[in-house]
Amino acid sequence: MQSSIGQANSPSIFSCLCDVATGKFAPYINEQEALAVAYPCDSNRRNVITCKDKELDKFINEVNGLGFDIELSSHIMSLPRYIPVIDRNFKNLDILSNNTPIIGITLVDLLKKDFKKNINIPYSDPKSIFRPIKINSSEVKFILFLTGEDRLIETLWHSRELIDFFSYIKKWKYLAVTGFNFSLIKGECAFSQALNLKKSLYSSYLLENNGMVTIPHVYSMTQHQLVRWIEWFSKNKRINYFVINCQLQSDEESIQLVIENVAKILTELPYIHVILQGFYFNKINKLIGYLNRIHFADKLPIKLAQSHYKITENLKRIYCKDLSVEELTLTNIDARRNYIENLFENKNVVKA
């Protein structure tokens, strides 16, 4: 099992079989990270690129090496504490324009259904992948979260040059675009985790190189990975926001890992802010001391409104047929926003 921030209490028999344990990838991957490996580092490439892959150098070169030697300068002005995220079924952006200046949208909601169903078909035209969406309202600015299922993200990543992905999404003029959320799987090869961390950071580099403002996606499962991120931020001080996708962190251990990562980074870097996408609101109390620099983004208010559910002041859900979907959407967004604001004020959090 693993203890706080991914430290292995009892290494498995596969730990010493991971090439990371030999120091092969030092100094970029600490050999102690192999202690958390719980499965064989095979090279079948069905889910991850492991240390045993025959084309290892190709994947390392694709992201210019494993080092975090990338400079970014994207800087974002103040964001609201709560950012509602729309989904593909939400049509009426006008109702949000008066009281919701910043809206989120996820990558998966930009994709056509045919692409998601036939993902193995080679695509070369971005118009066959992305559905048109109108986001040119002067009243609202959008943040694009490059999150979604692993198979969708990996397919788009490998097709990025063929479909000119970065130039295509630049046309939509987002306020900011997050780095890709490449998964870190507990117990998998330590090399695959390090590679996915670099791929995520490198995707932010490509976004910025293509003229977009980027928000790096950060995640870490070991103390060594966390230290790498803190050292990188210390060298890239214009970056004042990062994002963590929390949508798949449902068990207590995973949630606690997010909390510890956030607390450590915000403590070490007192100027930086984080956006938690899909974080459980009933766990916010564990982040009380840092609320002045935490921003929350999720789809729940809009998803519940579409099912005719209303969110109350204490975050309970009640079925409501008396209000329209549009009215419920505004009510639910206000409930989420007010909950955070009240928690912030009532706990005497030190304000930034």
Side-chain angles (χ1 to χ4, degrees):
M1 76 184 279
Q2 289 182 312
S3 62
S4 179
I5 312 195
Q7 301 303 308
N9 289 332
S10 52
S12 78
I13 60 173
F14 302 110
S15 298
C16 63
L17 300 178
C18 177
D19 286 352
V20 168
T22 68
K24 178 179 179 179
F25 304 104
Y28 309 116
I29 314 177
N30 190 291
E31 59 192 64
Q32 291 185 349
E33 293 188 53
L35 297 176
V37 175
Y39 309 107
C41 295
D42 57 36
S43 57
N44 58 23
R45 211 184 286 175
R46 284 177 297 182
N47 298 308
V48 295
I49 309 300
T50 75
C51 62
K52 308 296 185 185
D53 198 290
K54 295 179 180 178
E55 297 185 287
L56 206 61
D57 289 343
K58 181 183 91 172
F59 293 103
I60 294 174
N61 293 336
E62 181 186 39
V63 293
N64 285 357
L66 297 173
F68 274 26
D69 49 352
I70 284 176
E71 293 185 8
L72 295 179
S73 59
S74 292
H75 191 84
I76 300 173
M77 300 303 289
S78 180
L79 294 177
R81 292 194 220 284
Y82 181 67
I83 302 169
V85 180
I86 62 172
D87 71 1
R88 65 186 306 113
N89 298 315
F90 188 76
K91 307 297 182 184
N92 193 355
L93 290 176
D94 292 337
I95 68 167
L96 301 178
S97 60
N98 290 331
N99 67 346
T100 310
I102 307 290
I103 296 173
I105 188 168
T106 64
L107 175 64
V108 68
D109 292 310
L110 297 181
L111 302 176
K112 289 185 175 180
K113 292 181 179 179
D114 285 346
F115 171 73
K116 292 191 286 184
K117 290 180 182 177
N118 304 294
I119 196 168
N120 293 323
I121 298 176
Y123 290 87
S124 58
D125 182 4
K127 293 180 181 178
S128 64
I129 297 176
F130 300 101
R131 67 188 186 94
I133 180 170
K134 187 178 180 180
I135 61 169
N136 55 0
S137 170
S138 60
E139 303 296 326
V140 178
K141 297 186 183 302
F142 287 79
I143 294 175
L144 173 60
F145 293 90
L146 293 183
T147 56
E149 299 174 42
D150 287 348
R151 65 190 187 97
L152 295 175
I153 288 177
E154 291 289 352
T155 298
L156 286 172
W157 173 254
H158 292 302
S159 305
R160 66 189 184 279
E161 294 181 359
L162 185 63
I163 65 173
D164 202 10
F165 173 79
F166 294 101
S167 295
Y168 190 76
I169 62 171
K170 180 184 178 181
K171 298 176 183 178
W172 293 336
K173 299 180 180 179
Y174 293 105
L175 173 68
V177 184
T178 74
F180 272 111
N181 168 211
F182 294 105
S183 294
L184 267 62
I185 303 172
K186 179 182 175 182
E188 287 284 6
C189 175
F191 170 83
S192 71
Q193 292 187 0
L195 179 64
N196 277 359
L197 290 179
K198 180 59 184 290
K199 281 167 65 178
S200 184
L201 181 58
Y202 192 70
S203 70
S204 276
Y205 168 77
L206 293 176
L207 285 163
E208 193 172 276
N209 259 20
N210 280 274
M212 288 169 275
V213 173
T214 187
I215 303 173
H217 182 276
V218 172
Y219 200 65
S220 61
M221 299 196 74
T222 71
Q223 185 69 44
H224 299 290
Q225 293 169 359
L226 186 59
V227 168
R228 291 186 76 192
W229 279 116
I230 292 173
E231 290 177 347
W232 181 82
F233 280 118
S234 298
K235 296 175 182 176
N236 292 266
K237 293 187 179 295
R238 274 195 60 81
I239 299 294
N240 60 334
Y241 280 88
F242 68 96
V243 63
I244 299 178
N245 178 21
C246 309
Q247 295 178 98
L248 297 179
Q249 317 307 327
S250 56
D251 61 277
E252 287 296 329
E253 183 181 3
S254 297
I255 294 171
Q256 184 60 32
L257 185 60
V258 170
I259 292 168
E260 292 181 20
N261 282 334
V262 168
K264 182 67 173 177
I265 293 174
L266 296 189
T267 298
E268 293 289 329
L269 307 164
Y271 60 89
I272 208 163
H273 289 232
V274 61
I275 303 171
L276 298 182
Q277 182 191 0
F279 187 79
Y280 284 88
F281 267 44
N282 61 357
K283 303 293 183 181
I284 290 181
N285 62 308
K286 296 187 177 183
L287 293 164
I288 286 295
Y290 304 94
L291 280 185
N292 57 314
R293 289 185 285 141
I294 299 178
H295 309 258
F296 299 91
D298 65 21
K299 291 183 177 182
L300 193 64
I302 291 172
K303 298 292 285 185
L304 289 179
Q306 291 169 343
S307 300
H308 299 284
Y309 277 92
K310 175 183 177 181
I311 301 177
T312 65
E313 291 183 0
N314 58 359
L315 298 187
K316 292 187 179 298
R317 308 170 189 181
I318 58 174
Y319 189 72
C320 181
K321 267 292 197 179
D322 298 332
L323 298 177
S324 66
V325 171
E326 288 78 11
E327 291 171 317
L328 282 171
T329 295
L330 294 176
T331 298
N332 290 350
I333 289 174
D334 283 341
R336 296 288 258 190
R337 182 188 293 127
N338 291 339
Y339 180 84
I340 296 171
E341 292 292 344
N342 290 337
L343 193 62
F344 184 87
E345 297 295 338
N346 294 340
K347 295 297 182 178
N348 298 315
V349 180
V350 178
K351 299 180 183 179

